[in-house]
Amino acid sequence: MIACACGLALPAGALAQDPAAEIPDVALSEPQAVTSGPSFGIAAASQTPKLWATVNICDTPQTPNSMGIRAGMPGNGSGQRMYMRFMAEYWSRALQAWAPVAGSGKSPWVYAGSAELARRQAGWTFAFGEPPAGVTFTMRASVEFEWRAERPRPAKRVLKRHRGRHEKRSGRFFDLTGARVSRLVVRRSTTRMTETGIKGVHGGDPAGTSKALCLIY
């Protein structure tokens, strides 16, 4: 009875798992170009939201077994910096839930530009191993957005701590190897899932593609 109770307490991932052949495995990933837009006129006419994520490439002859993710974020008129990060997910039949793909299914943070700009787009494309015959990968993606600002400079200019983790030189922080530590701090963050019907999406294959999901087969 005790063993049985312990089994029931296990998380769902330990009780059910897709066969390896049914889990998309990232073979290659690469960034898409960072661009501006769409213009305010196009965005207003099409009711494009200021913050969005969509699939702009999905298993085409030019990009087989691939999913491209495109996202747009607005500036806020400040000197902050805008960043995006892209994560691919697939529908797990065993878990009956969305799950991370195998391999490096999360991009590094992509710098989209200064928040002084009105709108910026960036993207990432994931290429997967070809699914076996009879298997279809149902894909989507999430995109994280961050607006980052410079950390305020301390009043004191010189401070050394030889046994501490950092030492300060001329107002900038370094680790003990001499590498500069980032002074940026996150001022705002949010996440969006891919959606369909976004207008003014750049880099699509074919042009203008905007989907919530991508089927790879």
Side-chain angles (χ1 to χ4, degrees):
M1 291 298 292
I2 295 177
C4 184
C6 291
L8 292 175
L10 289 173
L15 299 176
Q17 186 174 359
D18 295 300
E22 296 183 11
I23 302 175
D25 191 357
V26 176
L28 177 69
S29 69
E30 57 185 2
Q32 299 178 13
V34 176
T35 59
S36 298
S39 67
F40 279 114
I42 294 176
S46 62
Q47 296 184 335
T48 296
K50 291 184 177 180
L51 191 65
W52 52 265
T54 195
V55 173
N56 70 336
I57 299 172
C58 181
D59 196 15
T60 67
Q62 290 73 28
T63 52
N65 305 319
S66 298
M67 177 177 67
I69 310 156
R70 194 76 182 170
M73 65 188 301
N76 55 21
S78 74
Q80 295 176 5
R81 303 178 187 181
M82 301 187 292
Y83 289 84
M84 307 182 198
R85 184 164 63 177
F86 307 83
M87 185 172 70
E89 299 178 344
Y90 80 103
W91 179 256
S92 165
R93 294 194 299 172
L95 299 176
Q96 287 295 289
W98 294 100
V101 301
S104 300
K106 181 181 287 188
S107 77
W109 284 100
V110 176
Y111 176 55
S114 169
E116 294 178 342
L117 301 169
R119 295 170 182 264
R120 297 292 279 175
Q121 289 189 30
W124 202 270
T125 301
F126 294 97
F128 303 94
E130 185 172 357
V135 173
T136 298
F137 299 149
T138 302
M139 313 291 301
R140 73 172 187 181
S142 62
V143 181
E144 298 174 271
F145 303 87
E146 287 188 355
W147 290 257
R148 304 178 187 177
E150 287 280 343
R151 187 191 309 272
R153 293 179 180 275
K156 293 184 179 180
R157 183 176 180 79
V158 178
L159 174 64
K160 292 185 178 181
R161 291 188 295 171
H162 295 289
R163 296 185 179 181
R165 294 182 58 190
H166 302 93
E167 64 176 11
K168 183 183 171 187
R169 304 172 184 169
S170 301
R172 300 180 184 273
F173 287 95
F174 293 78
D175 64 19
L176 293 182
T177 66
R180 182 180 175 183
V181 177
S182 174
R183 293 181 55 88
L184 296 179
V185 293
V186 177
R187 295 303 187 194
R188 179 191 171 194
S189 63
T190 189
T191 302
R192 290 290 187 275
M193 307 306 302
T194 46
E195 57 184 313
T196 190
I198 302 298
K199 303 299 182 182
V201 178
H202 298 164
D205 181 16
T209 296
S210 174
K211 300 180 177 182
L213 304 178
C214 176
L215 301 181
I216 296 178
Y217 53 92

